[in-house]
Amino acid sequence: MRGISSFLVRIFSFLSKELVEVLRQPKLILTLILGPFLILLLFGIGYTNQRVPERTMFVLQQDNPFNEQIKSKALELDYVIDLVGTTDNFDLMISNLNRRAIDLGVVIPNNVYETIRSNQQASIQIFHNQIDPNQVAYMEYMGSFLADTINRQLVQSVAEEGQTEAENIAPLVENSLENTRNARVMLEQGDVISAQRHQRAVRGNLSTLQLAVGASASLLQGVNQTFGGEDQGETDILNTLQATRDNPAISQDFQEGQDNYDQEIAALQEEEEKLLNLQQQLESFTSISPAILTRPFVSKTQTVSQTEVSPTSFFIPGVIVLLLQHMTITLSSLSLVRERRAGTMELFRVSPLKPIEILFSKYFSYMFIGLLIAAILILAVRFGLNSTMLGSWMDMLIIVVLLLFASLGIGFIISFLSQTETQSVQLSMIALLFSVFFSGFFLDLRYLLFPVRYISYLLPATYGTQMMQNVMLRGMQIQLPSLVNLTIFGVVLFVLAWVFLRRTMAHE
Amino acid sequence: MADNLSFTDLSMTDMVISLDGVTKTFGGQNAADDLTFKFPKGKIIGLIGPSGSGKTSTVRLMTGIYHPSKGQIRVLNSDPQSFTQPEREKIGYMTQNFVLYPDLSIRENLNFAAAIYGLGPWRRSRRIKNLLKFVELDGDSKKLAKNISGGMLRRLALAASLIHDPDLIFLDEPTAGIDPILRRKFWDHFVELRDQGKTLVITTQYVNEATYCDLVGVMSDGKMLFLKTPEDLIKSAFGGDVLDLRTLTPLSDTQTRELEELSFIQGELAYLVDGTLRLIVDEASTALPQVIDWFKSNGLELSSIEEYLPPYDDVFVKLIEDYRANNTTSTQNTGDPA
């Protein structure tokens, strides 16, 4: 009984001592709580998460047939492009890039038609002067986006032409259908001579149609194929026209004096149906907007998350975790180094204190201080910055407790490896640097190669950030694997710290 | 081995500390060299020696901080390496430097020190009040340790080492760097503690502080050269008690030789620069009347005669010089390096 009461007295004496020492350093409190809060506040106020339009210069020859289209399109894209100007001088554009006067130089090829006619793609060249890999990737995306936009613009022009053509050939199809129908009716009535006259008229109509059909036929065919419309044999207009022309009921004059014309009549009916189908397709094609024909799909991205997360809210869990981890590591690593260097450890070695009691007391004290700071910080960002909090506060408490527990272990291990306070601060900073890069704070861990990714799994911040983001921003419950990993990690470090402390306090 | 280390008037149960052939080696150097001695209960034992003589190492061996490379140690009838918590609670330890917390007040530091020994808030409150009065810090208890003087820090450290009312107190140079008045107060405190039945093992570089001790251990090069009462140390240094006398007429050579040949006179007579004649005798109290009688019987008139108590600085210097001289001689004789 006396042992337990002495144990409790010792634990609370450490708590009181550590708490008083921390509270007697107001600058430290300001650094630990107010500093990060102000950083988050400034970030929240200042960060817009909107891309600034890239200052862009187009290099175009004066006689380029696409000049006006490209300029007007560039002006339409003012949310991504700030059109600084156009020039036909490539060197001027490069010079502007080098001076950082522009962000993007776009060179439009001059001989687009010739290149396409020679069955080659015309290349739009994009120049930039970025060194940030993320910006380089964005520039590559911009190039692709511009090429797609210009391609679409061109295809739309072609589609408009095709629709005009289709409107022009519609009467020819109508005539062909009319003459075919008349030829069949005449045959049914036994008037072979009239039927022959209509038959010849159909041949003429079809020849004219074949000549007239150009872009519209290709586009119509493309649209149908892409959208899984009618089967291909029927949608290939030119083939359809040719097959109709080649049908003996059209290509060969009806013979007079036959017993019956049933076979010819059936063939003509079949061709009527094809022409009717073609007529309907043309009507349908001309009724579709060229903009839809050239850009039939648009994407609409939606999140299943319960809320829209602002950039500040997104980073808040990571910042809280990093801050708590760093604060705990620094305080705990300094604590034992100071005790050792000041000589207090020598007093402890003569006193009835056991290593496990010292360690437990230190853990208890810094957990308490950490929880206090975490509570103030989390409440400040929740209500001061209106950060998102969808999950349970109890889950948050569990995450913070485990994060502090595991971080304290790292801090104490650092303290045993350090001879001086400077060394312990340096090692704490290295732990922070590791955490910034490898905890998933701003880099998705999937981008890390697997052997390197293991470093992430040695950082409490990795589990802390994942769990806190899920709880705060997704409203999820704590994931058991992360919880178990963090707990195991903390327990292993506690045992290691205990072994180190026993060695430190052992008889020399 | 120390000379005259047996205390025949004390039984073994009265011994709180005993070392038997204890050596502590660091990197081939002996910090403590073949220490064999016993410390009695309820006494002030001073360990005196020059810097690096092994005083602190000896204290650390006795407190269990160091593990002996060789030999046996018993403190409070236990091996310090396996002290139980209750045994540790009987020991108080004050280190050479201030090792408490600068950001805590005097009272907070004492509270923490008391809590380490498991003293609950109520017990500790009364104890702290008494101790603050004892070390005369009761008016400054709210001051932060970082804002108080060196002397106050030493008093705070002393109070911290006494907070749990230990039976055996190790004080490593408690008076180092503090003024003589405060040093005197410290020793008054130590005597007071001794009178309460506590045993104090105190290291010091101030040789004259030996006078406050019941036993003084003189250390050099990790060895315990002497462990004696302060009076016996003087005898060891000079070969006996010292008598200083002055005569109205100088002694002749014959009279000088006759005086030297008396049985209670040790060694040669010495004339000091002021004409004083110094005699070394077995025991001053018995020799003094015999010397007076001899002068009377030889028709010589004494103008003064008294026992001379040499400063402990002189005693200490003489002991160390004699030890080093003997050591050099024995090394030269045996051919061993020092």
Side-chain angles (χ1 to χ4, degrees), chain B residues 23-289:
Chain B
T23 297
K24 179 65 185 173
T25 307
F26 288 111
Q29 295 273 7
N30 285 348
D33 190 356
D34 194 20
L35 298 176
T36 300
F37 54 79
K38 291 182 172 70
F39 288 165
K41 190 178 174 184
K43 304 286 180 191
I44 297 178
I45 299 114
L47 295 181
I48 297 177
S51 185
S53 60
K55 303 185 297 292
T56 299
S57 295
T58 306
V59 167
R60 285 177 174 173
L61 280 163
M62 291 185 285
T63 52
I65 294 172
Y66 285 170
H67 185 279
S69 309
K70 209 165 70 178
Q72 296 287 323
I73 305 176
R74 302 288 291 175
V75 175
L76 298 171
N77 286 324
S78 292
D79 181 352
Q81 306 302 305
S82 49
F83 273 151
T84 60
Q85 277 191 316
E87 282 166 346
R88 287 183 187 280
E89 285 171 9
K90 290 181 184 168
I91 294 174
Y93 178 42
M94 177 181 171
T95 58
Q96 262 185 42
N97 303 311
F98 179 75
V99 295
L100 293 171
Y101 301 99
D103 285 317
L104 300 191
S105 70
I106 288 174
R107 181 177 288 277
E108 287 162 347
N109 267 301
L110 289 177
N111 255 315
F112 179 72
I116 285 177
Y117 286 89
L119 268 68
W122 288 274
R123 267 179 73 198
R124 111 175 53 133
S125 170
R126 195 177 61 246
R127 181 85 189 138
I128 288 172
K129 189 179 172 189
N130 292 339
L131 270 174
L132 285 173
K133 197 174 279 181
F134 180 66
V135 295
E136 298 173 19
L137 287 174
D138 43 343
D140 303 297
S141 63
K142 288 182 181 169
K143 286 184 179 169
L144 298 188
K146 64 184 175 189
N147 296 333
I148 61 177
S149 68
M152 290 166 87
L153 283 176
R154 297 307 286 164
R155 277 184 278 165
L156 169 59
L158 175 64
S161 67
L162 302 175
I163 192 79
H164 54 295
D165 194 22
D167 296 331
L168 175 59
I169 304 157
F170 293 95
L171 305 170
D172 196 1
E173 303 204 4
T175 54
I178 59 175
D179 64 79
I181 296 170
L182 189 58
R183 285 219 307 267
R184 178 61 188 262
K185 282 185 179 174
F186 263 48
W187 280 102
D188 289 343
H189 291 322
F190 300 154
V191 170
E192 201 176 319
L193 288 168
R194 189 266 319 272
D195 294 344
Q196 291 169 14
K198 315 285 184 197
T199 307
L200 294 96
V201 178
I202 303 171
T203 71
T204 180
Q205 289 189 39
Y206 298 110
V207 179
N208 286 326
E209 290 179 348
T211 190
Y212 299 105
C213 300
D214 300 309
L215 274 176
V216 178
V218 177
M219 295 196 71
S220 181
D221 302 330
K223 291 185 168 66
M224 182 73 82
L225 307 183
F226 301 92
L227 180 59
K228 298 185 176 189
T229 60
E231 299 76 24
D232 286 345
L233 267 188
I234 296 172
K235 285 184 183 171
S236 295
F238 292 94
D241 289 340
V242 183
L243 292 179
D244 280 355
L245 57 91
R246 292 173 77 92
T247 55
L248 294 176
T249 52
L251 273 69
S252 66
D253 288 347
T254 312
Q255 287 169 326
T256 303
R257 272 196 305 277
E258 282 174 11
L259 187 59
E260 280 175 346
E261 283 166 6
L262 291 175
S263 60
F264 54 86
I265 300 292
Q266 304 292 320
E268 295 179 356
L269 307 184
Y271 279 101
L272 305 184
V273 286
D274 61 351
T276 302
L277 177 61
R278 177 160 290 174
L279 309 177
I280 307 296
V281 296
D282 282 341
E283 180 64 49
S285 55
T286 54
L288 193 66

Side-chain angles (χ1 to χ4, degrees), chain B residues 262-338:
Chain B
L262 291 175
S263 60
F264 54 86
I265 300 292
Q266 304 292 320
E268 295 179 356
L269 307 184
Y271 279 101
L272 305 184
V273 286
D274 61 351
T276 302
L277 177 61
R278 177 160 290 174
L279 309 177
I280 307 296
V281 296
D282 282 341
E283 180 64 49
S285 55
T286 54
L288 193 66
Q290 291 176 286
V291 171
I292 294 170
D293 288 347
W294 184 85
F295 272 86
K296 274 186 183 169
S297 62
N298 284 278
L300 295 165
E301 197 172 347
L302 287 166
S303 60
S304 69
I305 182 166
E306 59 184 356
E307 183 182 359
Y308 169 68
L309 292 175
Y312 279 96
D313 282 339
D314 296 350
V315 175
F316 177 73
V317 168
K318 182 128 186 18
L319 288 171
I320 296 293
E321 281 178 354
D322 289 350
Y323 160 72
R324 287 184 175 159
N326 291 337
N327 206 32
T328 309
T329 312
S330 63
T331 304
Q332 284 168 350
N333 292 342
T334 58
D336 289 340

Side-chain angles (χ1 to χ4, degrees), chain A residues 2 5-6 9-10 13-14 16-17 20-21 24-25 339 342-344 346-354 357 362 506-508, chain B residues 24 60 63-67 80-81 85 88-89 91 93 95 98-99 101 103-105 108 112 115-120 124 144:
Chain A
R2 183 172 174 268
S5 71
S6 297
V9 163
R10 284 172 192 138
S13 74
F14 268 97
S16 162
K17 190 264 287 185
V20 168
E21 280 195 310
R24 292 252 159 86
Q25 301 173 66
E339 305 269 20
T344 328
E346 191 172 330
L347 276 189
F348 293 165
R349 287 161 79 180
V350 179
S351 76
L353 274 176
K354 293 177 182 169
E357 285 179 320
K362 292 270 182 190
H507 315 288
E508 291 175 34
Chain B
K24 179 65 185 173
R60 285 177 174 173
T63 52
I65 294 172
Y66 285 170
H67 185 279
Q81 306 302 305
Q85 277 191 316
R88 287 183 187 280
E89 285 171 9
I91 294 174
Y93 178 42
T95 58
F98 179 75
V99 295
Y101 301 99
D103 285 317
L104 300 191
S105 70
E108 287 162 347
F112 179 72
I116 285 177
Y117 286 89
L119 268 68
R124 111 175 53 133
L144 298 188

